[in-house]
């Protein structure tokens, strides 16, 4: 067994202490709203990079620059950054009105007593189409609050259904940054990861719908919600979804979405031509932090790999997890730990990718299943932690609309993340599997 170097993992520890430590102080000591998200994550990674650069004096600084350049020059990193930017342009083009159109359309044709089921289904679709759970929660939570106000449904249940549906789409979407990060980190085509992931996510979603149905079956609802909607605006999302499932190159799929979205938004008068270009720019700019995190993590990981840090970590996992199924669980627990520490499932996947790749090779786990496990377990933890962006955004929206709810009111109603965890464990330990699966 090759000897590892635990000291090489110091940059990760420094990042976690700085980001998690300051986040806890801001959020719970200083009571800063969205405290975790007031910590500049790029700065935290730059500090971690500085630590990595001053480590191991046996390696000259010019050599370290060469190591970092090789890590950054990886095809998967370049592809990831380009997809991030292109996906940002797409979201900037189509805007948010189409998501609201989906919600109000379904609420207008489905009986009011099934409104909570509609919230979950709409959140699933919108997040699947938009590729962002936070964006979905921002859009759909006000609708959930309106339903809670006009009916007998509890606000925590409505909000929990929105968060659960948002995590379903975030986990499966072809343009989600978590999918992009997991697939490119493991060298896996997106449609392959989708097929593997769908087998885990769909049963969890179906059981969630059954639970919500029985929980809301006896609630008397006084009225329903009717708002204007424009269904033609959801066409770009549907095209992207169909193209992704069909296995078309992701850049071609996104280009189709951008072109169709531009035409529809202009012809329907939803956006002016000058505003459309500005929206494209703001959409791409919105991916800046995510892209920079991918760049910084790749060069930090290149140095850690060179110093023997990942070898030490892999040897540790080898001593705990002895077989193929254990290796799958190890990948899941690894990314969960990263997500709990960073409160960002994309960052958690990017950080976990290198060691997960080595574990997949060691335990003969296929790239598609490694990518699926990374994305799924990161979404499980991100969907539950009380200090994640998803939870904080939902609480903030509810508070602004006059509902005083806490994370601990909502957590018992997060049925989908719990069902996804059970489904994932069944996938690992109960269902038949073979090596390279």
């Amino acid at each position: 067994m090759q000897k590892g170097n635990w000291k090489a993992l110091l940059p990760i520890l420094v990042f976690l202490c700085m980001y998690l430590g300051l986040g806890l102080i801001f959020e719970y000591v200083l009571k800063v709203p969205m405290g975790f998200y007031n910590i500049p994550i790029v700065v935290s990674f730059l500090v971690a990079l500085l630590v990595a650069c001053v480590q191991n004096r046996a390696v000259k600084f010019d050599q370290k620059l060469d190591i970092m350049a090789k890590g950054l020059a990886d095809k998967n990193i370049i592809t990831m950054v380009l997809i991030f930017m292109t996906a940002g342009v797409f979201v900037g083009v189509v805007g948010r009105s189409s998501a609201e159109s989906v919600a109000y359309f379904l609420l207008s044709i489905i009986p009011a007593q099934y409104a909570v089921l509609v919230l979950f289904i709409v959140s699933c679709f919108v997040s699947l189409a938009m590729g962002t759970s936070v964006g979905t929660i921002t859009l759909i939570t006000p609708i959930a609050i309106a339903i809670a106000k006009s009916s007998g449904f509890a606000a925590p249940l409505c909000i929990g259904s929105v968060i659960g549906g948002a995590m379903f789409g975030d986990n499966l979407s072809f343009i989600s940054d978590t999918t992009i990060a997991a697939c490119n980190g493991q060298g896996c085509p997106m449609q392959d990861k989708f097929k593997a992931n769908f087998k885990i996510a769909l049963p969890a979603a179906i059981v969630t719908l059954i639970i919500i149905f029985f929980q809301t079956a006896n609630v008397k609802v006084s009225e329903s919600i009717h708002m204007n909607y424009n269904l033609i605006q959801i066409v770009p999302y549907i095209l992207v979804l169909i193209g992704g499932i069909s296995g078309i190159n992701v850049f071609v799929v996104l280009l189709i979405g951008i072109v169709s979205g531009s035409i529809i938004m202009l012809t329907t008068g939803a956006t002016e031509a000058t505003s459309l270009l500005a929206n494209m720019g703001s959409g791409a700019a919105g991916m800046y932090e995510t892209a920079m995190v991918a760049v910084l993590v790749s060069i930090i990981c290149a140095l850690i790999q060179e110093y023997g840090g990942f070898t030490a970590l892999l040897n540790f996992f080898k001593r705990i997890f002895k077989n193929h199924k254990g290796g799958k669980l190890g990948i899941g627990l690894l990314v969960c730990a990263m997500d709990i520490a960073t409160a960002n499932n994309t960052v958690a996947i990017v950080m976990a990718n290198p060691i997960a790749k080595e574990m997949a090779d060691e335990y003969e786990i296929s790239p598609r299943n490694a990518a699926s496990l990374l994305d799924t377990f990161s979404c499980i933890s991100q969907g539950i932690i009380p200090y994640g962006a998803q939870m904080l955004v939902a609480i903030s929206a509810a508070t602004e609309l006059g509902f005083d709810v806490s994370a601990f009111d909502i957590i018992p109603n997060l049925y989908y993340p719990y069902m996804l965890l059970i489904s994932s464990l069944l996938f690992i330990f109960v269902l038949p599997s073979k090596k390279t699966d």
Side-chain angles (χ1 to χ4, degrees):
M1 185 179 291
Q2 184 182 356
K3 188 177 180 181
N5 178 15
W6 283 104
K7 293 180 181 179
L9 296 171
L10 180 61
I12 295 179
L13 180 62
V14 169
F15 165 77
L16 295 178
C17 289
M18 183 174 179
Y19 185 72
L20 181 61
L22 289 177
L24 288 171
I25 292 171
F26 275 40
E27 184 77 31
Y28 298 108
V29 178
L30 301 179
K31 304 297 182 181
V32 176
M34 298 287 287
F36 271 87
Y37 299 90
N38 282 279
I39 310 299
I41 194 168
V42 171
V43 174
S44 300
F45 274 118
L46 284 172
V47 173
L49 176 60
L50 176 62
V51 172
C53 286
V54 299
Q55 278 186 301
N56 198 346
R57 295 183 181 180
V59 180
K60 295 181 179 180
F61 186 68
D62 282 346
Q63 293 176 301
K64 292 175 182 177
L65 288 175
D66 287 336
I67 295 168
M68 288 188 279
K70 290 177 182 177
L72 184 58
D74 185 276
K75 174 186 174 182
N76 290 323
I77 298 299
I78 297 172
T79 303
M80 191 189 307
V81 171
L82 290 175
I83 295 175
F84 282 148
M85 296 300 179
T86 312
V89 172
F90 170 72
V91 173
V93 166
V94 296
R96 297 184 171 185
S97 58
S98 54
E100 294 174 347
S101 290
V102 175
Y104 289 127
F105 169 69
L106 288 178
L107 286 168
S108 70
I109 63 174
I110 295 177
Q113 60 262 36
Y114 303 120
V116 181
L117 290 173
V118 170
L119 285 174
F120 179 74
I121 293 169
V122 167
S123 298
C124 288
F125 175 81
V126 171
S127 186
L128 192 62
M130 291 182 66
T132 165
S133 55
V134 173
T136 299
I137 292 166
T138 302
L139 289 172
I140 309 300
T141 297
I143 299 174
I145 295 301
I147 289 174
K149 283 183 175 180
S150 62
S151 68
F153 297 123
L157 172 62
C158 294
I159 296 171
S161 298
V162 172
I163 294 175
M167 297 316 298
F168 173 89
D170 193 357
N171 185 203
L172 289 174
S173 175
F174 285 88
I175 60 172
S176 166
D177 45 7
T178 58
T179 294
I180 296 166
C183 290
N184 283 277
Q186 300 302 310
C188 165
M190 290 189 182
Q191 65 268 27
D192 287 354
K193 180 261 184 187
F194 178 86
K195 292 173 183 176
N197 219 156
F198 195 68
K199 296 176 183 177
I200 303 173
L202 181 61
I206 291 173
V207 173
T208 299
L209 285 171
I210 293 171
I211 293 172
I212 294 174
F213 173 79
F214 281 107
Q215 186 170 356
T216 59
N218 297 322
V219 177
K220 293 183 179 180
V221 181
S222 56
E223 61 180 285
S224 58
I225 298 174
H226 296 281
M227 296 287 287
N228 294 328
Y229 54 85
N230 188 345
L231 287 182
I232 195 173
Q233 292 180 1
I234 73 172
V235 170
Y237 287 142
I238 294 174
L239 291 176
V240 167
L241 194 59
I242 293 173
I245 295 173
S246 300
I248 300 174
N249 181 279
V250 65
F251 288 110
V252 175
V253 169
L254 288 171
L255 183 60
I256 292 171
I258 291 168
V259 172
S260 63
S262 299
I263 294 172
I264 289 171
M265 299 305 281
L266 290 173
T267 55
T268 59
T271 305
E272 296 180 358
T274 52
S275 299
L276 183 66
L277 291 173
N279 292 341
M280 288 182 179
S282 61
M287 288 292 190
Y288 163 77
E289 184 175 83
T290 303
M292 284 306 303
V293 165
V295 168
L296 290 171
V297 170
S298 69
I299 59 181
I300 292 171
C301 287
L303 290 172
I304 293 174
Q305 176 72 38
E306 181 70 20
Y307 300 161
F310 289 141
T311 301
L313 198 55
L314 183 60
N315 290 342
F316 171 75
F317 277 106
K318 285 180 182 178
R319 288 194 292 270
I320 297 178
F321 303 107
K322 302 295 186 182
N323 53 36
H324 178 69
K325 291 183 177 181
K328 286 182 175 180
L329 180 62
I331 289 175
L333 293 178
L334 171 69
V335 76
C336 273
M338 294 290 188
D339 183 69
I340 291 169
T342 62
N344 186 310
N345 48 343
T346 304
V347 174
I349 290 171
V350 173
M351 292 178 66
N353 259 329
I355 186 62
K357 180 67 174 173
E358 292 195 30
M359 291 177 66
D361 292 339
E362 175 68 23
Y363 293 103
E364 300 184 43
I365 301 168
S366 67
R368 66 175 185 173
N369 278 329
S372 175
L373 290 166
L374 283 171
D375 201 345
T376 300
F377 275 87
S378 72
C379 284
I380 290 169
S381 53
Q382 187 68 23
I384 297 173
I385 55 175
Y387 50 87
Q390 289 78 3
M391 183 70 74
L392 297 177
V393 165
I395 292 171
S396 176
T399 302
E400 289 178 5
L401 294 169
F403 269 79
D404 186 16
V405 295
S406 72
F408 298 101
D409 295 324
I410 299 170
I411 286 174
N413 296 284
L414 294 172
Y415 301 124
Y416 178 72
Y418 302 139
M419 294 304 103
L420 186 61
L421 174 60
I422 294 171
S423 182
S424 299
L425 294 176
L426 289 174
F427 170 77
I428 292 173
F429 292 108
V430 177
L431 296 182
S433 65
K434 56 184 178 181
K435 291 188 176 181
T436 71
D437 185 19

